[in-house]
Amino acid sequence: MRLARWEQDRPGAHTMTSPTENKAVIRRFFAEIDAGNLASLDELVDEDYIDHHPPAFPGLPPGRAGLKRLFEIYQQWTPGVHEVLDQVAEGDLVLTRIRAHGPASLPDTGVVATAVHRVRDGKLVEHLDEHEYATRLTQIGVDAAS
């Protein structure tokens, strides 16, 4: 992961939150997703959110809108929960190691991911991770086009 390439500064004033507060934002993000509350992403994710990976599924819009669509797909095909295993934060960066568990009706994929989020003004603004979600979803027959 090359964090040096990340956008370091955006124009405008920003409210700096503590690493502890930033970790709480990330935990709430996963809890809201797990509860199916995608409307909360309007509060938790910046409209111009940047994901430094190609979309898991082709054709997703950029920013928060694409992230919402991604989680709509996940909820339709593999609703489950995220278990936060570890978190480390410094400044506005939060590294979170999570395990995603699928629903009882599907074999538990137990996918482990390591995600780095940048939190600014209490919102997720950037994301970079290592995971195998798309591979696992394809293995269980997810069709993102529907």
Side-chain angles (χ1 to χ4, degrees), residues 19-38:
T20 300
E21 291 168 316
N22 291 341
K23 289 192 308 187
V25 168
I26 302 303
R27 285 180 178 274
R28 179 172 172 223
F29 169 76
F30 287 118
E32 295 287 1
I33 289 167
D34 293 348
N37 185 9
L38 297 184

Side-chain angles (χ1 to χ4, degrees), residues 4 10 12 18 21 28 37 67 83-84 88 112-113 128 137 139 146:
R10 285 188 161 169
S18 74
E21 291 168 316
R28 179 172 172 223
N37 185 9
L67 185 64
E83 173 188 2
V84 174
V88 177
V112 174
L128 176 70
L137 292 173
Q139 289 172 347
S146 37

Side-chain angles (χ1 to χ4, degrees), residues 63-94:
R64 180 174 59 213
L67 185 64
K68 278 183 165 181
R69 180 65 186 124
L70 177 66
F71 280 111
E72 288 169 357
I73 293 168
Y74 286 155
Q75 287 180 345
Q76 177 184 0
W77 289 97
T78 62
V81 296
H82 296 87
E83 173 188 2
V84 174
L85 302 173
D86 300 294
Q87 278 189 309
V88 177
E90 184 172 326
D92 61 357
L93 293 176
V94 180

Side-chain angles (χ1 to χ4, degrees), residues 2-146:
R2 291 185 43 118
L3 297 181
R5 291 179 33 193
W6 283 35
E7 186 176 325
Q8 295 296 317
D9 226 352
R10 285 188 161 169
H14 300 289
T15 305
M16 189 67 172
T17 52
S18 74
T20 300
E21 291 168 316
N22 291 341
K23 289 192 308 187
V25 168
I26 302 303
R27 285 180 178 274
R28 179 172 172 223
F29 169 76
F30 287 118
E32 295 287 1
I33 289 167
D34 293 348
N37 185 9
L38 297 184
S40 69
L41 297 186
D42 291 338
E43 177 186 342
L44 293 170
V45 179
D46 189 80
E47 183 177 357
D48 297 322
Y49 171 83
I50 299 169
D51 191 339
H52 289 279
H53 286 290
F57 303 106
L60 293 179
R64 180 174 59 213
L67 185 64
K68 278 183 165 181
R69 180 65 186 124
L70 177 66
F71 280 111
E72 288 169 357
I73 293 168
Y74 286 155
Q75 287 180 345
Q76 177 184 0
W77 289 97
T78 62
V81 296
H82 296 87
E83 173 188 2
V84 174
L85 302 173
D86 300 294
Q87 278 189 309
V88 177
E90 184 172 326
D92 61 357
L93 293 176
V94 180
L95 181 138
T96 306
R97 202 168 64 88
I98 60 167
R99 179 176 290 122
H101 296 279
S105 62
L106 292 174
D108 190 353
T109 57
V111 175
V112 174
T114 301
V116 180
H117 290 93
R118 183 177 304 281
V119 179
R120 188 168 291 132
D121 299 331
K123 290 187 174 192
L124 283 65
V125 295
E126 289 185 83
H127 169 253
L128 176 70
D129 69 9
E130 295 294 329
H131 61 77
E132 294 190 22
Y133 288 116
T135 301
R136 298 290 185 176
L137 292 173
T138 301
Q139 289 172 347
I140 60 173
V142 171
D143 178 9
S146 37

